[in-house]
Structures are given as structure tokens and as C-alpha cells.
Amino acid sequence: LVLTGGEVTLRKDFNILLKKCTDNNLGITVQTNGRMLSNDKVIKAINNIDDIRFIVALHGANSYTHDNITQVKGSFEETCQGIRTMIEHNKLVIIKVVISKINILELEDIVKLANNLGVKYICFAFPHAQGGARINFNEVMPTYSNIKYILEKVINKSEQMNVNIEFEAVPFCI
């Protein structure tokens, strides 16, 4: 079962949702911005659940980029701390990066950051031109031809660091 939407970890009944899942022997995936993953209430709710994983949105390799994209000052540090906390609690964390013109030159550094945080799985997703991406299309949407060389470097870096990566919405020819 995938728990997502807004920010599911902020729900007052987050622990109840998790309990219902475990009572029904469901594996749990939590899609999150990761900012609440160091919160004692969240830690207590997930601590005894083995079949749970976290897909955490990370938008840059540093606070400048990540915070600019999220428009929340300090969100990078909170997200990284949340990732560290889940890794310390032996939970599976997958970083999800939506590729944009804003973060494209940091993708290789995101692999390094993931490795330093203890994360061994990253999903790099080509953006869907909807919502803000459509409104700001020229500023945020990369082209496949722009990312090909960069993705080759990302693949090489991930192999060096033994970090598993996958690509979403990127054609194999790229």
C-alpha cells in the first residue's frame, strides 16, 4: 500500500494508518518529503514495522537548490536528517529526484550525497510538464538531448559508489 498525498506523515492518524496496514499484512511505501522522518511520533509509529520503505523527494545536492525548489528554507537539512534517521532505524529509503534545468548539474553530486547518507537506491524521474512545470516550462523542463551526457556521468558515478539507480520516463535511447 502506498501512503501519499500532501504530506502523509503530518496526518494525526498516521500511526493508525500504519497499524491498519500491518494488521492486514500489507507492505507499506510512504512517499514523503522526508522532513518529518526524524520526528519522535513518526519514529515511534514506524519503529516496529519491517515491511516499510520510504520514497523521499530530494531536489538538489545542497540547501540552495533544494530549498529554492521546495520554497521552504531549511527543508534540505530536515530532509537529509529524516533520511539519516530512517537509515539508522534500518528502514529502506529510496531517493526520488525529479530532473529539471534547476538541478541537472547536481545529479552526480546527488549520487554522492545519497551514498554519504547511506542510501543505496535513487530514482531519477524526467518531469511531467504539468502544473508548475508547465507554467514555467522554459525555466524548468530539460530536453532529452541536454540530459544524455549528464545521465552517463550519473550512471558511472552510481557504479563507482555502488548506488542502485533507475530512470523514470527516460527512453532507453537516451
Side-chain angles (χ1 to χ4, degrees), residues 4-22:
T4 188
E7 178 53 45
V8 71
T9 59
L10 292 174
R11 289 180 59 116
K12 292 177 183 170
D13 62 348
F14 182 63
N15 62 329
I16 295 168
L17 293 173
L18 294 177
K19 176 99 171 74
K20 291 280 187 188
C21 291
T22 57

Side-chain angles (χ1 to χ4, degrees), residues 33-35 37 56-58 66 74-84 117:
N33 62 28
R35 294 175 56 207
L37 296 181
V56 179
L58 187 66
H66 182 89
S75 63
F76 176 77
E77 291 303 326
E78 290 174 332
T79 297
C80 289
Q81 184 55 52
I83 291 169
R84 282 188 209 94
L117 292 171

Side-chain angles (χ1 to χ4, degrees), residues 6-160:
E7 178 53 45
V8 71
T9 59
L10 292 174
R11 289 180 59 116
K12 292 177 183 170
D13 62 348
F14 182 63
N15 62 329
I16 295 168
L17 293 173
L18 294 177
K19 176 99 171 74
K20 291 280 187 188
C21 291
T22 57
D23 288 350
N24 288 285
N25 296 315
L26 297 171
I28 305 164
T29 298
V30 178
Q31 289 182 333
T32 176
N33 62 28
R35 294 175 56 207
M36 293 296 293
L37 296 181
S38 292
N39 178 284
D40 288 338
K41 184 178 169 186
V42 172
I43 294 168
K44 183 177 178 185
I46 62 92
N47 207 29
N48 293 321
I49 302 173
D50 292 326
D51 195 4
I52 190 168
R53 67 182 184 163
F54 296 87
I55 299 176
V56 179
L58 187 66
H59 301 289
N62 56 61
S63 61
Y64 178 81
T65 303
H66 182 89
D67 291 1
N68 276 332
I69 291 173
T70 63
Q71 298 182 5
V72 177
K73 188 172 174 67
S75 63
F76 176 77
E77 291 303 326
E78 290 174 332
T79 297
C80 289
Q81 184 55 52
I83 291 169
R84 282 188 209 94
T85 300
M86 289 302 104
I87 296 295
E88 289 168 6
H89 283 81
N90 297 313
K91 302 304 179 193
L92 175 60
V93 175
I94 300 166
I95 290 175
K96 179 122 182 207
V97 181
V98 177
I99 302 166
S100 73
K101 285 182 178 178
I102 301 166
N103 67 12
I104 195 167
L105 297 178
E106 297 179 22
L107 301 184
E108 195 175 358
D109 289 335
I110 290 172
V111 174
K112 293 178 197 174
L113 174 62
N115 186 61
N116 290 340
L117 292 171
V119 174
K120 292 299 178 185
Y121 299 93
I122 307 173
C123 175
F124 290 98
F126 196 82
H128 304 285
Q130 299 173 343
R134 177 168 284 163
I135 294 166
N136 301 298
F137 189 89
N138 292 329
E139 292 82 29
V140 299
M141 290 295 293
T143 62
Y144 288 134
S145 59
N146 291 129
I147 67 171
K148 182 177 173 128
Y149 174 71
I150 291 168
L151 295 186
E152 289 172 0
K153 290 170 62 174
V154 167
I155 291 167
N156 290 335
K157 182 56 67 182
S158 69
E159 288 174 346
Q160 285 176 354

